Amino acid sequence: MSVQTTDPSDLFIIGGGINGCGIARDAVGRGYSVTLAEMNDLASATSSASTKLFHGGLRYLEYFEFRLVHEALAEREVLIRAMPHIAWPMRFVLPYHPSMRFENDTPTSKLLTTVMPWMKGRRPAWLIRLGLFMYDHLDLGKRKILPGTARLDLRSAPEGAPLQDRFETAYEYSDGWVQDSRLVVLNARDAEARGAQILTRTKVVSAAREDGQWRIDLQDTETGATQTRYAKMLINAGGPWVGDIIHEKVHLNVREGVRLVRGSHIVTRKLYDHDKCYFFQGTDGRIIFAIPYEQDFTLIGTTDAEHTDANEAPVCTPEEQSYLINFANHYFKQQLSDADVVWTYSGVRPLYDDGASSATAATRDYTLKVEASGGAPMLNVFGGKITTYRRLAESALDKIDAALGRSTEKWTAEASMPGGDFPVDGVAALIASLREAHPFLDQRWARRLMRTYGTDARAILGVSTGAEALGEDFGATLTAAEVDWLMDREYARTPQDVLWRRTKLGLSMPEEGLARLGDYMDARRARV
Ligand SMILES: Cc1cc2nc3c(=O)[nH]c(=O)nc-3n(C[C@H](O)[C@H](O)[C@H](O)COP(=O)(O)OP(=O)(O)OC[C@H]3O[C@@H](n4cnc5c(N)ncnc54)[C@H](O)[C@@H]3O)c2cc1C
């Protein structure tokens, strides 16, 4: 089957990760007509595989990435305010030990080796304090919600209890947490509510300039059906595939590329009881985080490994898993082994290729390039962080305005995301109000719904006063009412979408429930 649609949109966006969906939302809110195509599920690639931090990037200071750190630090609270359901402040505990080392080729380590050669690559405590001071102040006064840096005596503080006794001192600082794949889907939902067309499971197979506009050929990746769309401007937000789109789909002669750097995480049962994260520095100069995850688990990551082919699905290799286990075992009293790992995930960072010598050192900043040599303009998006996606979208809109001769206003800094229309300190009140209206919800269930849907949880629960009103129960508190919402309102099509991207219930869903969920979703798709 082949569908022809000739109406041109202003913008055609390739890629339903955070950058594509963030640009779609911002652009449609400024009056542009927008179509977005994602070849798999939304957030099926890098944007569901991050460490999930809204962070300034403390370690980027050692690379003198001041622009990125300043922008990301200032952005944390803008984002947390706009989505207090899926994002929240986190405290990070950084244990100090004199053996901690730099990665050899950071500008800071090179400078220190020159002026203080006797340090032999070690990271002194005063440098960490200086870095944290800058972290507290580089946002130029924007920090209002997140508390500043503090020093901890690990011999008496509860944060010291899970750690080995040789760690006596720690520094504590703030950053934020975000449910990355939910952030993507909420951007897509909001974009669609404002008029964008979001096509999932739709691959851009080729795009070419034709009569002063773009002709884009699409293929439905489930049915094989093809269609053609037209647009005034093409936006390439293909993440790891940005180069593939430039060279294989559009056949452009563009020099810029991405460097693919894989990062893997492991998940274990909860390793400690408090709600803070750990920032561990290794003897190899790298750092990893250990983070409380989904109420019952601990998330540990990440790695930096070269990845050669975007089409090769990233997985956590046995070497990466051992590396993360050994790293954590250097700090925790509890010694982990492979048997403690309940899940792993892996993603590929699409970093702008700036010729940096190591994967760890490659810039995490973004670069936007407009290519307009052949008539209709194309914008290529390289790199970027989840944390800076909104600012990246604003910068993209500056370039889009210039390319299409329009003048539009920024608007996203003050606008809440779907379900996020409540105050940052209103979380407990929202959970309480859900439990009051729906007395069958226990605290964990209500909390999960609030952390997933915010005020939209009310629409899912409707007027139910008993759990049976929510339909089939698949286990792990997932009911038919929630699945229906995800299929009708959040583009979910398969159990994978529901269990690993719209929620993380895959961690606790029983096998038997999984099979029933598959049958239920198949039947519903056939019906609708
Ligand atoms: C291990 C790891 C940890 C990270 N941790 C953090 C963190 O803690 N904080 C932070 O701020 N950032 C973090 N990041 C960075 C962040 O996750 C990425 O920068 C961001 O997700 C990139 O989003 P994207 O939209 O550019 O790419 P993606 O999410 O990969 O989206 C690109 C999309 O384009 C689609 N696509 C490609 N080709 C086509 C085509 N031909 N047709 C249709 N669709 C197509 C793909 O299917 C994909 O879904 C981390 C990254 C990694 C890998």
Side-chain angles (χ1 to χ4, degrees):
M1 191 184 73
S2 181
V3 182
Q4 295 282 323
T5 313
T6 46
D7 280 349
S9 343
D10 293 324
L11 307 178
F12 191 99
I13 301 175
I14 310 175
I18 191 53
N19 289 326
C21 292
I23 294 170
R25 174 179 182 245
D26 193 343
V28 75
R30 299 184 193 217
Y32 284 103
S33 56
V34 176
T35 307
L36 180 146
E38 162 54 51
M39 63 182 172
N40 295 311
D41 183 26
L42 295 172
S44 51
T46 319
S47 298
S48 58
S50 80
T51 312
K52 307 171 206 313
L53 303 181
F54 274 158
H55 64 157
L58 183 58
R59 73 174 191 81
Y60 310 148
L61 286 176
E62 285 186 359
Y63 293 91
F64 295 172
E65 294 236 30
F66 298 120
R67 194 213 74 81
L68 171 66
V69 177
H70 160 72
E71 182 173 284
L73 283 173
E75 189 63 4
R76 297 172 304 179
E77 293 198 8
V78 174
L79 296 172
I80 290 173
R81 279 201 186 84
M83 53 194 91
H85 49 334
I86 62 160
W88 55 91
M90 284 271 213
R91 292 294 275 170
F92 288 75
V93 176
L94 191 162
Y96 177 73
H97 195 269
S99 65
M100 280 149 190
R101 306 190 93 79
F102 284 117
E103 211 215 4
N104 288 338
D105 60 358
T106 75
T108 310
S109 62
K110 283 182 191 153
L111 186 67
L112 222 72
T113 306
T114 312
V115 294
M116 296 171 69
W118 60 90
M119 289 303 293
K120 298 199 168 70
R122 287 191 298 270
R123 229 188 227 127
W126 63 261
L127 190 75
I128 293 176
R129 284 201 301 274
L130 175 67
L132 288 169
F133 177 83
M134 290 172 73
Y135 210 67
D136 271 352
H137 295 96
L138 254 183
D139 68 347
L140 306 180
K142 298 260 170 33
R143 186 170 53 80
K144 303 281 185 271
I145 307 169
L146 300 171
T149 302
R151 190 172 178 282
L152 283 181
D153 183 348
L154 293 176
R155 290 166 300 188
S156 53
E159 294 81 356
L163 300 180
Q164 293 168 20
D165 293 338
R166 64 202 173 89
F167 298 104
E168 298 184 349
T169 304
Y171 302 97
E172 195 183 279
Y173 70 95
S174 292
D175 261 327
W177 171 264
V178 61
Q179 314 217 45
D180 54 4
S181 47
R182 291 216 51 78
L183 175 66
V184 176
V185 90
L186 294 187
N187 271 278
R189 270 186 56 199
D190 202 43
E192 190 176 76
R194 293 169 192 273
Q197 200 176 7
I198 307 290
L199 308 171
T200 63
R201 266 89 186 184
T202 304
K203 183 173 189 167
V204 172
V205 287
S206 69
R209 291 176 168 120
E210 197 177 276
D211 301 330
Q213 59 185 358
W214 284 97
R215 175 200 156 108
I216 303 123
D217 292 320
L218 306 173
Q219 183 164 42
D220 185 315
T221 50
E222 288 174 335
T223 64
T226 57
Q227 57 173 309
T228 300
R229 296 296 179 100
Y230 293 86
K232 294 181 185 148
M233 185 164 181
L234 189 65
I235 315 289
N236 174 4
W241 290 268
V242 67
D244 169 75
I245 292 165
I246 290 172
H247 301 295
E248 308 300 325
K249 306 292 185 284
V250 188
H251 303 290
L252 282 186
N253 191 10
V254 168
R255 264 187 309 117
E256 282 91 4
V258 278
R259 176 170 190 168
L260 302 180
V261 178
R262 189 176 64 247
S264 298
H265 292 82
I266 58 174
V267 175
T268 66
R269 296 247 150 237
K270 195 167 168 171
L271 295 177
Y272 55 88
D273 284 327
H274 62 79
D275 61 359
K276 296 180 182 172
C277 312
Y278 290 103
F279 177 115
F280 294 151
Q281 305 177 75
T283 46
D284 61 352
R286 290 196 68 260
I287 63 115
I288 63 162
F289 297 101
I291 303 173
Y293 188 54
E294 297 291 323
Q295 302 197 50
D296 297 321
F297 301 92
T298 301
L299 174 67
I300 299 173
T302 178
T303 55
D304 279 316
E306 297 288 351
H307 194 82
T308 42
D309 181 358
N311 290 316
E312 188 189 312
V315 288
C316 178
T317 62
E319 293 75 29
E320 287 173 279
Q321 178 162 317
S322 300
Y323 172 82
L324 292 172
I325 288 174
N326 291 336
F327 207 137
N329 284 347
H330 205 69
Y331 280 84
F332 286 123
K333 282 182 187 142
Q334 179 182 340
Q335 294 296 286
L336 300 173
S337 71
D338 288 334
D340 295 301
V341 176
V342 297
W343 184 52
T344 66
Y345 67 84
S346 199
V348 179
R349 302 175 184 88
L351 304 181
Y352 181 60
D353 193 354
D354 61 354
S357 53
S358 81
T360 312
T363 182
R364 264 57 175 168
D365 212 344
Y366 54 83
T367 300
L368 305 175
K369 295 275 178 182
V370 175
E371 203 282 325
S373 57
M378 173 175 185
L379 173 70
N380 293 304
V381 176
F382 301 95
K385 305 280 300 168
I386 297 267
T387 314
T388 49
Y389 88 93
R390 197 194 62 81
R391 295 296 301 271
L392 182 152
E394 286 183 343
S395 304
L397 263 296
D398 288 345
K399 298 212 179 284
I400 292 165
D401 278 0
L404 296 183
R406 294 207 202 162
S407 169
T408 62
E409 296 292 326
K410 296 180 169 61
W411 64 277
T412 53
E414 306 294 330
S416 46
M417 297 299 293
D421 49 344
F422 65 97
V424 172
D425 58 3
V427 165
L430 181 52
I431 294 175
S433 77
L434 288 178
R435 292 193 67 190
E436 197 182 330
H438 310 279
F440 60 90
L441 294 177
D442 63 18
Q443 182 70 12
R444 278 175 68 88
W445 189 356
R447 186 181 170 75
R448 180 182 77 74
L449 292 176
M450 187 282 303
R451 281 293 179 216
T452 314
Y453 307 103
T455 53
D456 281 341
R458 295 187 186 124
I460 296 171
L461 293 164
V463 292
S464 58
T465 49
E468 63 292 341
L470 301 177
E472 187 168 349
D473 174 1
F474 302 101
T477 69
L478 183 69
T479 62
E482 188 172 345
V483 176
D484 291 354
W485 169 275
L486 292 174
M487 294 183 78
D488 295 347
R489 308 290 294 271
E490 298 199 0
Y491 318 92
R493 293 184 63 83
T494 70
Q496 291 288 315
D497 303 350
V498 169
L499 298 177
W500 295 108
R501 287 182 285 276
R502 303 308 178 278
T503 72
K504 287 288 183 282
L505 290 174
L507 284 166
S508 40
M509 172 68 55
E511 278 292 313
E512 163 283 323
L514 181 62
R516 280 190 294 118
L517 176 63
D519 293 344
Y520 180 85
M521 292 183 76
D522 284 348
R524 193 159 200 282
R525 279 173 57 184
R527 253 198 338 268
V528 175

